[in-house]
């Protein structure tokens, strides 16, 4: 298949996502020779731009090195840009003609990347289906969240997509599924006997999945205010990690088996993780909204409500902690605590498995709980907190770490960006790391009652200072859920 040309079409080519993520990603893949030969790239958007202008917008995000100039020219030589509306069928007919011309009517595969706001998802996908499907070759569509705002709107979107495309043509990106450490969760769990044996309620007290960012909404206030942190990060990125941490072992490592393990599918009828979760209860949730820090520098001075694109009386949460409970034999009683927030004290995403206290402790209460931590970013690492004998003449205990920090273990390691991995997967037709329709419906079932309750009751989030650890009430929720501190998280 490597000689069949591929056309990668970016819809919304003049936008922010295209500029910051998609063009850089396809450039890196092209530069590293990872794409099939004869891949062409076509940008499409409403703005009347020349390819030079598109190039001008993107290049500062592409991290081009001096020695790569020739390759870079080759890359832009394989690019085209067309402008047109999103809801006018004729414009898409024109796009289709251009795509045909590019390959002189020969067999070619097409990938459509919708780097677009949700308001135009429906007209664009309809127009693609009716005018732009590859006449000879396959067509695949990549879409970005938000996949709706709640169970109903998401179901409508899924229904619409299902009326146009087959499941194997739809690639819903959750870029956390492309991160090294998130993918490593399965390897760690199912490739190690020691973890397999203890991965259950008998051994594990609680699991904390965090995603903290040290910056505010940074110019995305308009989008953010409509969605809030639960829809932006928790319902997708963190819930996906939870699934990988909690799921049963799939029969094989193939895409369908893995995705089947996360929900009930017609093929497998045993209890699945998402189906075993009850909707989240408001009493299990802490919400926060950041306020400016008068002593902070630059952005940190500004609170969420100081953002001119955010309504002055907004109650949209920028921080959330929520406890999920899985009602199955493996996890009954083990809280899965999801935590995410903007404008916090650090950038950190990690999964922290906290083991139970040692029963019948003989060390005068000195033992601390074991923890297995997978640090997703920054600085990928897997480490385990253990109790060992303090070296020397004493017989005291000390907490130490078995530490596998990637930068120490692998010299000059350059890990691919999540988008690189995922876009390449689309070329290869691998849906293993993408979100399936039934999975998405389950994710919304778990979060929709909570989101509606928060909005209908207009619940006021707890203010927290820009650069802090978030509302202290969250620590109380952690403590109530059998999470014990042995440091700051
Ligand atoms: C996006 C969210 O999905 O993920 C952003 O919309 C968030 O609000 C981003 O900042 C975080 O991604 P990463 O890869 O930088 O952790």
């Amino acid at each position: 298949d490597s000689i069949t040309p591929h056309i990668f079409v970016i819809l919304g080519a003049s936008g922010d996502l295209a500029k910051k993520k998609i063009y850089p990603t396809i450039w890196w893949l092209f530069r590293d020779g990872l794409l099939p030969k004869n891949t062409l790239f076509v940008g499409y958007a409403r703005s009347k731009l020349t390819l030079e202008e598109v190039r001008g917008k993107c290049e500062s995000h592409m991290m081009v090195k001096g020695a790569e100039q020739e390759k870079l020219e080759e890359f832009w030589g394989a690019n085209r840009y067309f402008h047109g509306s999103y809801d006018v069928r004729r414009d898409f007919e024109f796009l289709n003609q251009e795509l045909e011309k590019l390959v002189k009517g020969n067999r070619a595969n097409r990938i459509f990347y919708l780097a677009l706001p949700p308001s135009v998802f429906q007209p664009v996908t309809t127009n693609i289906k009716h005018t732009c499907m590859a006449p000879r070759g396959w067509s695949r569509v990549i879409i970005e969240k938000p996949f709706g705002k709640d169970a109903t709107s998401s179901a409508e979107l899924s229904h619409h997509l299902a009326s146009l495309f087959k499941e194997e043509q739809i690639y819903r990106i959750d870029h956390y599924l492309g991160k090294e450490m998130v993918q490593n969760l399965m390897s760690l769990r199912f490739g190690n006997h020691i973890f397999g044996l203890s991965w259950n309620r008998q051994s594990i007290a609680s699991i904390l999945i965090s995603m903290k960012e040290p910056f505010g909404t940074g110019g995305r206030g308009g989008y953010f205010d409509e969605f809030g942190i639960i829809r932006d990060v928790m319902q997708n990125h963190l819930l996906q990690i939870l699934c990988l941490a909690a799921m049963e072992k799939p029969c094989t490592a193939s895409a369908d088996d893995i995705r089947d393990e996360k929900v009930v599918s017609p093929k497998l009828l045993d209890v699945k993780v998402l189906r075993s979760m009850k909707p989240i209860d408001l009493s299990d949730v802490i919400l926060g909204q950041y306020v400016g820090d008068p002593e902070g520098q630059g952005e940190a001075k500004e609170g969420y409500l100081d953002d001119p694109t955010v309504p002055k009386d907004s109650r949209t949460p920028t921080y959330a902690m929520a406890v999920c409970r899985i009602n199955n034999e493996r996890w009954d009683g083990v809280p899965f605590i999801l935590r995410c927030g903007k404008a916090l004290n650090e950038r950190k995403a990690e999964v922290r498995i906290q083991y139970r206290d040692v029963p019948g402790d003989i060390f005068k209460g000195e033992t601390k709980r074991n923890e297995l931590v997978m640090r997703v970013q920054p600085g990928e690492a897997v480490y385990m907190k253990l109790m060992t004998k303090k070296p020397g003449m004493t017989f005291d205990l000390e907490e130490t770490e078995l530490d596998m920090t990637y930068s120490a273990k692998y010299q000059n390691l350059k890990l691919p960006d999540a988008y690189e991995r995922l876009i390449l997967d689309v070329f290869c037709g691998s849906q293993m790391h993408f979100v399936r329709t039934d999975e998405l419906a389950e994710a919304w079932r778990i979060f929709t009652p909570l989101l509606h309750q928060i909005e209908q009751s207009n619940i006021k989030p707890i203010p927290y200072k820009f650069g802090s650890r978030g509302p202290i009430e969250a620590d109380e929720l952690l403590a109530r859920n059998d999470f014990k501190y042995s440091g700051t998280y």
Side-chain angles (χ1 to χ4, degrees):
D1 207 32
S2 70
I3 25 179
T4 302
H6 289 74
I7 312 180
F8 189 88
V9 185
I10 304 163
L11 297 127
S14 61
D16 219 46
L17 180 68
K19 166 175 88 177
K20 292 190 182 145
K21 275 289 177 199
I22 315 306
Y23 276 105
T25 304
I26 55 176
W27 154 242
W28 298 325
L29 291 171
F30 180 90
R31 177 198 63 191
D32 297 342
L34 294 170
L35 295 177
K37 284 201 183 68
N38 308 328
T39 298
L40 297 163
F41 310 95
V42 171
Y44 181 93
R46 277 182 306 207
S47 319
K48 217 171 172 175
L49 299 172
T50 61
L51 185 60
E52 275 308 302
E53 285 166 320
V54 176
R55 178 172 177 169
K57 278 166 170 272
C58 302
E59 241 168 61
S60 61
H61 300 278
M62 288 168 42
M63 298 190 288
V64 184
K65 300 198 192 72
E68 294 165 356
Q69 277 310 319
E70 207 177 308
K71 198 81 195 163
L72 185 69
E73 294 308 323
E74 205 186 306
F75 172 71
W76 286 113
N79 263 272
R80 303 286 182 278
Y81 177 84
F82 302 106
H83 73 94
S85 310
Y86 293 130
D87 51 2
V88 179
R89 188 159 165 165
R90 256 202 355 261
D91 292 356
F92 278 80
E93 281 163 359
F94 161 77
L95 173 64
N96 183 53
Q97 284 161 15
E98 295 298 330
L99 298 180
E100 277 295 271
K101 272 194 233 158
L102 275 177
V103 293
K104 305 192 181 68
N106 288 323
R107 179 186 164 82
N109 301 322
R110 296 182 184 177
I111 296 174
F112 297 92
Y113 198 114
L114 270 66
L116 291 168
S119 54
V120 295
F121 272 11
Q122 299 221 2
V124 168
T125 43
T126 307
N127 282 325
I128 291 175
K129 168 70 185 183
H130 292 138
T131 63
C132 285
M133 301 299 275
R136 291 161 296 278
W138 50 249
S139 299
R140 295 176 184 152
V141 178
I142 308 178
I143 58 172
E144 281 274 345
K145 70 166 205 299
F147 310 124
K149 278 196 82 176
D150 58 11
T152 312
S153 52
S154 174
E156 270 166 31
L157 177 63
S158 292
H159 185 72
H160 168 79
L161 290 171
S163 73
L164 303 174
F165 309 110
K166 296 201 194 81
E167 184 73 28
E168 51 288 12
Q169 293 179 295
I170 306 170
Y171 287 75
R172 285 190 193 84
I173 285 224
D174 180 320
H175 78 285
Y176 266 61
L177 291 176
K179 291 190 188 264
E180 183 72 26
M181 277 301 149
V182 176
Q183 299 196 345
N184 198 11
L185 253 167
M186 273 200 39
S187 320
L188 230 109
R189 286 191 56 194
F190 303 125
N192 293 288
H193 191 57
I194 45 166
F195 295 134
L197 284 178
S198 60
W199 210 264
N200 52 42
R201 62 194 296 275
Q202 284 74 30
S203 300
I204 294 175
S206 60
I207 296 188
L208 173 62
I209 302 172
S210 307
M211 191 273 212
K212 300 167 77 182
E213 291 180 318
F215 45 81
T217 46
R220 291 165 78 229
Y223 150 80
F224 191 89
D225 200 66
E226 204 189 322
F227 290 91
I229 196 80
I230 296 180
R231 291 186 179 92
D232 188 45
V233 171
M234 190 182 272
Q235 181 265 3
N236 36 65
H237 304 329
L238 298 193
L239 189 65
Q240 284 293 339
I241 299 180
L242 177 150
C243 282
L244 291 168
M247 71 192 221
E248 298 299 314
K249 189 169 171 169
C251 308
T252 66
S254 82
D256 266 333
D257 285 334
I258 287 169
R259 298 204 301 178
D260 280 346
E261 213 44 62
K262 293 193 239 166
V263 288
V264 170
S265 85
K267 279 190 285 174
L268 290 163
L269 287 172
D270 48 328
V271 187
K272 306 299 170 195
V273 173
L274 288 173
R275 284 295 292 270
S276 310
M277 284 170 65
K278 293 206 191 79
I280 295 169
D281 199 90
L282 188 60
S283 63
D284 274 335
V285 174
I286 299 290
L287 303 171
Q289 188 185 71
Y290 65 90
V291 294
D293 174 5
E295 274 142 46
Q297 304 277 314
E299 201 203 359
K301 276 204 170 69
E302 311 262 293
Y304 179 66
L305 299 180
D306 299 322
D307 181 332
T309 58
V310 168
K312 286 284 157 269
D313 56 352
S314 169
R315 292 192 165 181
T316 301
T318 60
Y319 174 99
M321 179 181 282
V323 184
C324 300
R325 300 177 194 281
I326 302 173
N327 185 38
N328 67 15
E329 197 154 337
R330 183 182 292 276
W331 295 120
D332 191 13
V334 180
F336 281 73
I337 307 156
L338 308 182
R339 169 176 67 166
C340 49
K342 303 256 172 209
L344 294 173
N345 58 331
E346 59 184 345
R347 174 165 188 255
K348 186 153 83 182
E350 64 172 32
V351 184
R352 191 171 286 266
I353 320 281
Q354 193 168 86
Y355 285 83
R356 294 194 183 280
D357 292 319
V358 172
D361 183 20
I362 56 166
F363 294 104
K364 301 173 270 167
E366 278 178 55
T367 47
K368 291 191 179 142
R369 287 181 165 185
N370 290 136
E371 282 184 350
L372 170 66
V373 183
M374 308 200 52
R375 198 191 304 132
V376 176
Q377 63 193 32
E380 288 80 359
V382 182
Y383 61 93
M384 179 104 214
K385 292 201 169 184
L386 299 174
M387 299 307 297
T388 52
K389 180 186 162 306
K390 208 179 251 172
M393 288 297 216
T394 73
F395 200 61
D396 296 338
L397 284 191
E398 174 174 77
E399 188 181 55
T400 45
E401 281 173 10
L402 217 55
D403 182 358
M404 211 284 259
T405 295
Y406 275 42
S407 59
K409 161 96 186 161
Y410 304 102
Q411 308 301 312
N412 303 321
L413 177 72
K414 199 211 148 278
L415 288 168
D417 179 78
Y419 273 86
E420 280 182 84
R421 244 192 264 261
L422 295 176
I423 288 182
L424 201 55
D425 279 350
V426 182
F427 276 88
C428 300
S430 164
Q431 291 191 303
M432 177 147 141
H433 304 295
F434 292 82
V435 184
R436 202 167 67 181
T437 306
D438 47 358
E439 212 182 312
L440 181 65
E442 284 301 320
W444 280 117
R445 179 187 61 77
I446 293 164
F447 279 93
T448 297
L450 172 73
L451 287 163
H452 284 176
Q453 201 178 349
I454 293 172
E455 281 151 12
Q456 278 151 16
S457 315
N458 199 17
I459 290 173
K460 193 172 183 312
I462 302 165
Y464 63 94
K465 210 194 257 180
F466 200 122
S468 69
R469 291 181 57 246
I472 44 165
E473 286 80 351
D475 289 343
E476 292 155 19
L477 184 64
L478 282 177
R480 285 205 299 280
N481 282 284
D482 203 16
F483 182 87
K484 287 194 187 164
Y485 274 100
S486 66
T488 54
Y489 304 117

Short mmCIF file of all heavy atoms in Angstrom, two decimals, residues 171-207:
data_model
loop_
_atom_site.label_atom_id
_atom_site.label_comp_id
_atom_site.label_asym_id
_atom_site.label_seq_id
_atom_site.Cartn_x
_atom_site.Cartn_y
_atom_site.Cartn_z
N TYR A 171 -12.17 8.23 13.62
CA TYR A 171 -11.07 8.26 14.59
C TYR A 171 -11.28 9.44 15.52
O TYR A 171 -11.02 10.59 15.16
CB TYR A 171 -9.73 8.39 13.86
CG TYR A 171 -9.34 7.12 13.15
CD1 TYR A 171 -9.96 6.73 11.97
CD2 TYR A 171 -8.36 6.28 13.69
CE1 TYR A 171 -9.62 5.55 11.33
CE2 TYR A 171 -8.01 5.10 13.06
CZ TYR A 171 -8.64 4.74 11.89
OH TYR A 171 -8.31 3.56 11.27
N ARG A 172 -11.76 9.16 16.73
CA ARG A 172 -11.94 10.24 17.71
C ARG A 172 -10.66 10.35 18.52
O ARG A 172 -10.28 9.42 19.22
CB ARG A 172 -13.08 9.90 18.68
CG ARG A 172 -14.44 10.04 18.09
CD ARG A 172 -15.47 9.93 19.21
NE ARG A 172 -16.80 9.75 18.65
CZ ARG A 172 -17.30 8.60 18.27
NH1 ARG A 172 -16.59 7.49 18.38
NH2 ARG A 172 -18.51 8.53 17.77
N ILE A 173 -10.04 11.51 18.42
CA ILE A 173 -8.75 11.68 19.12
C ILE A 173 -8.96 12.02 20.58
O ILE A 173 -9.74 12.91 20.92
CB ILE A 173 -7.94 12.82 18.45
CG1 ILE A 173 -7.36 12.32 17.13
CG2 ILE A 173 -6.87 13.36 19.39
CD1 ILE A 173 -5.93 12.67 16.86
N ASP A 174 -8.28 11.30 21.44
CA ASP A 174 -8.07 11.74 22.81
C ASP A 174 -6.56 11.66 22.94
O ASP A 174 -5.99 10.56 23.06
CB ASP A 174 -8.74 10.80 23.81
CG ASP A 174 -8.53 11.27 25.23
OD1 ASP A 174 -7.41 11.72 25.54
OD2 ASP A 174 -9.46 11.20 26.04
N HIS A 175 -5.90 12.80 22.86
CA HIS A 175 -4.45 12.73 22.67
C HIS A 175 -3.72 12.13 23.88
O HIS A 175 -2.59 11.69 23.76
CB HIS A 175 -3.86 14.08 22.25
CG HIS A 175 -3.70 15.07 23.36
ND1 HIS A 175 -4.75 15.74 23.91
CD2 HIS A 175 -2.60 15.48 24.02
CE1 HIS A 175 -4.29 16.54 24.87
NE2 HIS A 175 -2.98 16.40 24.96
N TYR A 176 -4.39 12.02 25.03
CA TYR A 176 -3.75 11.36 26.16
C TYR A 176 -3.48 9.89 25.85
O TYR A 176 -2.55 9.29 26.38
CB TYR A 176 -4.55 11.55 27.45
CG TYR A 176 -4.00 12.75 28.21
CD1 TYR A 176 -4.03 14.00 27.62
CD2 TYR A 176 -3.37 12.61 29.44
CE1 TYR A 176 -3.46 15.10 28.25
CE2 TYR A 176 -2.80 13.70 30.08
CZ TYR A 176 -2.85 14.93 29.47
OH TYR A 176 -2.26 16.00 30.09
N LEU A 177 -4.29 9.32 24.98
CA LEU A 177 -4.08 7.92 24.62
C LEU A 177 -2.84 7.73 23.75
O LEU A 177 -2.42 6.61 23.49
CB LEU A 177 -5.32 7.37 23.90
CG LEU A 177 -6.55 7.21 24.79
CD1 LEU A 177 -7.74 6.76 23.97
CD2 LEU A 177 -6.27 6.21 25.91
N GLY A 178 -2.26 8.84 23.30
CA GLY A 178 -1.04 8.74 22.51
C GLY A 178 0.20 8.99 23.35
O GLY A 178 1.32 8.98 22.83
N LYS A 179 0.04 9.19 24.64
CA LYS A 179 1.22 9.49 25.48
C LYS A 179 1.91 8.19 25.90
O LYS A 179 1.25 7.20 26.22
CB LYS A 179 0.80 10.31 26.70
CG LYS A 179 0.35 11.72 26.29
CD LYS A 179 0.17 12.62 27.48
CE LYS A 179 -0.44 13.94 27.08
NZ LYS A 179 0.53 15.02 26.86
N GLU A 180 3.22 8.27 25.93
CA GLU A 180 4.05 7.10 26.24
C GLU A 180 3.59 6.38 27.51
O GLU A 180 3.39 5.18 27.54
CB GLU A 180 5.51 7.56 26.39
CG GLU A 180 6.50 6.44 26.64
CD GLU A 180 6.75 5.58 25.42
OE1 GLU A 180 6.57 6.05 24.29
OE2 GLU A 180 7.13 4.41 25.61
N MET A 181 3.44 7.15 28.56
CA MET A 181 3.16 6.52 29.86
C MET A 181 1.74 5.98 29.95
O MET A 181 1.48 5.05 30.69
CB MET A 181 3.39 7.54 30.97
CG MET A 181 4.80 7.64 31.35
SD MET A 181 5.35 6.01 31.90
CE MET A 181 7.00 6.10 31.42
N VAL A 182 0.86 6.60 29.22
CA VAL A 182 -0.52 6.10 29.23
C VAL A 182 -0.53 4.75 28.51
O VAL A 182 -1.12 3.77 28.97
CB VAL A 182 -1.47 7.14 28.58
CG1 VAL A 182 -2.88 6.59 28.49
CG2 VAL A 182 -1.45 8.44 29.39
N GLN A 183 0.22 4.68 27.41
CA GLN A 183 0.29 3.40 26.70
C GLN A 183 1.05 2.36 27.54
O GLN A 183 0.78 1.18 27.46
CB GLN A 183 0.98 3.61 25.34
CG GLN A 183 0.18 4.57 24.47
CD GLN A 183 0.57 4.53 23.00
OE1 GLN A 183 1.60 4.00 22.62
NE2 GLN A 183 -0.28 5.12 22.16
N ASN A 184 1.96 2.85 28.35
CA ASN A 184 2.77 1.94 29.17
C ASN A 184 1.97 1.26 30.29
O ASN A 184 2.37 0.23 30.82
CB ASN A 184 3.92 2.74 29.77
CG ASN A 184 5.05 1.87 30.27
OD1 ASN A 184 5.08 0.67 30.01
ND2 ASN A 184 5.96 2.46 31.00
N LEU A 185 0.83 1.86 30.63
CA LEU A 185 0.02 1.28 31.71
C LEU A 185 -0.32 -0.18 31.43
O LEU A 185 -0.23 -1.04 32.31
CB LEU A 185 -1.29 2.05 31.83
CG LEU A 185 -1.45 2.97 33.02
CD1 LEU A 185 -2.64 3.88 32.82
CD2 LEU A 185 -1.61 2.19 34.32
N MET A 186 -0.69 -0.45 30.18
CA MET A 186 -1.05 -1.82 29.84
C MET A 186 0.16 -2.74 29.92
O MET A 186 0.06 -3.86 30.42
CB MET A 186 -1.59 -1.87 28.42
CG MET A 186 -3.07 -1.60 28.41
SD MET A 186 -3.87 -2.17 26.92
CE MET A 186 -3.09 -3.68 26.54
N SER A 187 1.30 -2.25 29.43
CA SER A 187 2.51 -3.09 29.45
C SER A 187 2.88 -3.42 30.89
O SER A 187 3.20 -4.56 31.22
CB SER A 187 3.68 -2.36 28.81
OG SER A 187 3.25 -1.65 27.69
N LEU A 188 2.81 -2.41 31.73
CA LEU A 188 3.18 -2.62 33.12
C LEU A 188 2.25 -3.60 33.83
O LEU A 188 2.68 -4.51 34.53
CB LEU A 188 3.11 -1.28 33.85
CG LEU A 188 4.35 -1.01 34.62
CD1 LEU A 188 5.10 0.10 33.95
CD2 LEU A 188 4.04 -0.63 36.02
N ARG A 189 0.98 -3.39 33.61
CA ARG A 189 0.00 -4.24 34.29
C ARG A 189 0.01 -5.67 33.80
O ARG A 189 -0.02 -6.61 34.58
CB ARG A 189 -1.41 -3.68 34.05
CG ARG A 189 -1.71 -2.46 34.83
CD ARG A 189 -3.19 -2.16 34.72
NE ARG A 189 -4.00 -3.30 35.15
CZ ARG A 189 -5.29 -3.41 34.91
NH1 ARG A 189 -5.94 -2.48 34.25
NH2 ARG A 189 -5.96 -4.47 35.36
N PHE A 190 0.02 -5.82 32.49
CA PHE A 190 -0.17 -7.17 31.96
C PHE A 190 1.13 -7.86 31.58
O PHE A 190 1.13 -9.02 31.22
CB PHE A 190 -1.15 -7.12 30.77
CG PHE A 190 -2.48 -6.52 31.15
CD1 PHE A 190 -3.00 -5.44 30.44
CD2 PHE A 190 -3.19 -7.00 32.24
CE1 PHE A 190 -4.22 -4.87 30.80
CE2 PHE A 190 -4.40 -6.43 32.61
CZ PHE A 190 -4.91 -5.37 31.89
N GLY A 191 2.25 -7.12 31.69
CA GLY A 191 3.53 -7.75 31.38
C GLY A 191 4.32 -8.10 32.64
O GLY A 191 5.46 -8.53 32.54
N ASN A 192 3.74 -7.87 33.82
CA ASN A 192 4.47 -8.13 35.06
C ASN A 192 3.61 -8.93 36.03
O ASN A 192 2.57 -8.45 36.48
CB ASN A 192 4.86 -6.81 35.74
CG ASN A 192 5.88 -6.06 34.92
OD1 ASN A 192 7.04 -6.43 34.83
ND2 ASN A 192 5.42 -4.99 34.29
N HIS A 193 4.09 -10.09 36.35
CA HIS A 193 3.34 -10.95 37.25
C HIS A 193 3.08 -10.27 38.59
O HIS A 193 1.98 -10.35 39.14
CB HIS A 193 4.11 -12.26 37.44
CG HIS A 193 3.32 -13.32 38.13
ND1 HIS A 193 2.11 -13.75 37.64
CD2 HIS A 193 3.55 -14.01 39.27
CE1 HIS A 193 1.63 -14.68 38.46
NE2 HIS A 193 2.48 -14.85 39.45
N ILE A 194 4.09 -9.56 39.12
CA ILE A 194 3.92 -8.98 40.46
C ILE A 194 2.77 -7.97 40.50
O ILE A 194 2.05 -7.90 41.48
CB ILE A 194 5.19 -8.29 41.01
CG1 ILE A 194 5.83 -7.41 39.96
CG2 ILE A 194 6.16 -9.31 41.57
CD1 ILE A 194 6.86 -6.46 40.55
N PHE A 195 2.61 -7.21 39.44
CA PHE A 195 1.51 -6.24 39.47
C PHE A 195 0.18 -6.93 39.23
O PHE A 195 -0.82 -6.61 39.85
CB PHE A 195 1.73 -5.13 38.44
CG PHE A 195 2.93 -4.29 38.75
CD1 PHE A 195 3.83 -3.95 37.77
CD2 PHE A 195 3.17 -3.84 40.05
CE1 PHE A 195 4.95 -3.18 38.05
CE2 PHE A 195 4.29 -3.07 40.35
CZ PHE A 195 5.18 -2.75 39.35
N GLY A 196 0.21 -7.88 38.32
CA GLY A 196 -1.03 -8.61 38.03
C GLY A 196 -1.65 -9.16 39.30
O GLY A 196 -2.86 -9.07 39.52
N LEU A 197 -0.81 -9.70 40.18
CA LEU A 197 -1.33 -10.35 41.39
C LEU A 197 -1.94 -9.37 42.39
O LEU A 197 -2.85 -9.71 43.13
CB LEU A 197 -0.18 -11.09 42.10
CG LEU A 197 0.26 -12.40 41.47
CD1 LEU A 197 1.43 -12.96 42.24
CD2 LEU A 197 -0.90 -13.39 41.45
N SER A 198 -1.39 -8.16 42.42
CA SER A 198 -1.82 -7.25 43.48
C SER A 198 -2.73 -6.12 42.97
O SER A 198 -3.04 -5.19 43.69
CB SER A 198 -0.60 -6.64 44.17
OG SER A 198 0.16 -5.93 43.21
N TRP A 199 -3.13 -6.24 41.74
CA TRP A 199 -3.90 -5.14 41.12
C TRP A 199 -5.39 -5.30 41.45
O TRP A 199 -6.20 -5.61 40.58
CB TRP A 199 -3.68 -5.18 39.60
CG TRP A 199 -3.76 -3.84 38.96
CD1 TRP A 199 -4.87 -3.31 38.35
CD2 TRP A 199 -2.71 -2.87 38.82
NE1 TRP A 199 -4.56 -2.06 37.86
CE2 TRP A 199 -3.26 -1.77 38.14
CE3 TRP A 199 -1.38 -2.81 39.22
CZ2 TRP A 199 -2.51 -0.64 37.84
CZ3 TRP A 199 -0.65 -1.68 38.93
CH2 TRP A 199 -1.21 -0.62 38.24
N ASN A 200 -5.73 -5.09 42.70
CA ASN A 200 -7.12 -5.33 43.10
C ASN A 200 -7.41 -4.71 44.47
O ASN A 200 -6.53 -4.13 45.10
CB ASN A 200 -7.37 -6.84 43.16
CG ASN A 200 -6.32 -7.53 44.00
OD1 ASN A 200 -5.95 -7.02 45.07
ND2 ASN A 200 -5.82 -8.66 43.55
N ARG A 201 -8.63 -4.85 44.90
CA ARG A 201 -9.09 -4.24 46.15
C ARG A 201 -8.41 -4.82 47.39
O ARG A 201 -8.35 -4.16 48.42
CB ARG A 201 -10.62 -4.38 46.27
CG ARG A 201 -11.10 -5.81 46.32
CD ARG A 201 -12.60 -5.88 46.09
NE ARG A 201 -13.34 -5.21 47.15
CZ ARG A 201 -13.69 -5.75 48.29
NH1 ARG A 201 -13.37 -7.01 48.52
NH2 ARG A 201 -14.36 -5.08 49.18
N GLN A 202 -7.91 -6.03 47.28
CA GLN A 202 -7.23 -6.62 48.43
C GLN A 202 -5.94 -5.86 48.73
O GLN A 202 -5.54 -5.71 49.88
CB GLN A 202 -6.88 -8.10 48.18
CG GLN A 202 -8.05 -9.07 48.30
CD GLN A 202 -8.99 -9.00 47.11
OE1 GLN A 202 -8.57 -8.69 46.00
NE2 GLN A 202 -10.26 -9.28 47.33
N SER A 203 -5.28 -5.37 47.71
CA SER A 203 -3.97 -4.74 47.90
C SER A 203 -3.97 -3.23 47.74
O SER A 203 -3.15 -2.54 48.33
CB SER A 203 -2.97 -5.30 46.88
OG SER A 203 -2.85 -6.68 47.03
N ILE A 204 -4.85 -2.72 46.93
CA ILE A 204 -4.80 -1.28 46.61
C ILE A 204 -5.84 -0.51 47.42
O ILE A 204 -7.01 -0.92 47.51
CB ILE A 204 -4.99 -1.07 45.09
CG1 ILE A 204 -3.78 -1.66 44.35
CG2 ILE A 204 -5.17 0.41 44.75
CD1 ILE A 204 -3.88 -1.63 42.84
N ALA A 205 -5.38 0.59 48.03
CA ALA A 205 -6.30 1.40 48.85
C ALA A 205 -7.02 2.42 47.99
O ALA A 205 -8.23 2.61 48.11
CB ALA A 205 -5.51 2.11 49.95
N SER A 206 -6.27 3.11 47.14
CA SER A 206 -6.90 4.13 46.30
C SER A 206 -6.00 4.42 45.11
O SER A 206 -4.80 4.10 45.12
CB SER A 206 -7.11 5.42 47.09
OG SER A 206 -5.87 5.91 47.54
N ILE A 207 -6.60 5.00 44.08
CA ILE A 207 -5.83 5.37 42.89
C ILE A 207 -6.13 6.84 42.58
O ILE A 207 -7.30 7.23 42.47
CB ILE A 207 -6.18 4.45 41.70
CG1 ILE A 207 -5.78 3.01 42.03
CG2 ILE A 207 -5.52 4.95 40.41
CD1 ILE A 207 -5.88 2.01 40.90
#
